[in-house]
């Protein structure tokens, strides 16, 4: 991650190397891509084949530290678009973990 400074104090979504999806406000980072997020929410998506009784879960973690070697992707979130999505209705297949060679 070459330049995360422009993401500081903005909402980001992080995909981790073990396939988790975390969204929160980026408070800071260091040269090894360790990230500090506030107001962090982990979204645990229901399978595409799941019925309506299994909504996508949003687990609130609050202040959260992610080790740099666990960060696969870091991207900015469009807050207006994100707030318009009913995440309980979103279905997705799980992301696989990363393989390091």
């Amino acid at each position: 991650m070459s330049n995360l400074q422009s993401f500081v104090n903005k909402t980001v979504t992080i995909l981790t190397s073990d396939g988790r999806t975390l969204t929160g406000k980026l408070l800071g980072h260091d040269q090894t891509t360790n990230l500090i997020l506030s107001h962090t929410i982990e979204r645990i998506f229901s399978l595409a084949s799941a019925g309506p009784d299994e909504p996508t879960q949003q687990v609130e973690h609050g202040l959260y530290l992610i080790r740099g070697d666990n960060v696969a992707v870091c991207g900015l979130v469009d807050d207006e678009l994100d707030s318009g999505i009913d995440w309980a209705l979103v279905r997705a297949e799980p992301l696989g973990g990363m393989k390091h060679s």
Side-chain angles (χ1 to χ4, degrees), residues 12-78:
V12 295
T13 292
I14 310 297
L15 300 180
T16 64
S17 60
D18 61 357
R20 291 182 298 143
T21 303
L22 300 157
T23 300
K25 183 177 179 182
L26 181 64
L27 295 181
H29 64 92
D30 65 11
Q31 67 276 8
T32 59
T33 319
N34 293 317
L35 305 178
I36 303 169
L37 299 179
S38 68
H39 308 291
T40 307
I41 295 173
E42 179 177 1
R43 291 190 175 120
I44 303 170
F45 295 99
S46 295
L47 294 175
S49 59
D53 359 329
E54 291 187 45
T56 292
Q57 298 176 32
Q58 294 194 78
V59 180
E60 294 187 24
H61 292 300
L63 189 64
Y64 206 76
L65 174 65
I66 306 170
R67 283 181 44 136
D69 58 351
N70 288 329
V71 176
V73 177
C74 177
L76 286 175
V77 171
D78 180 333

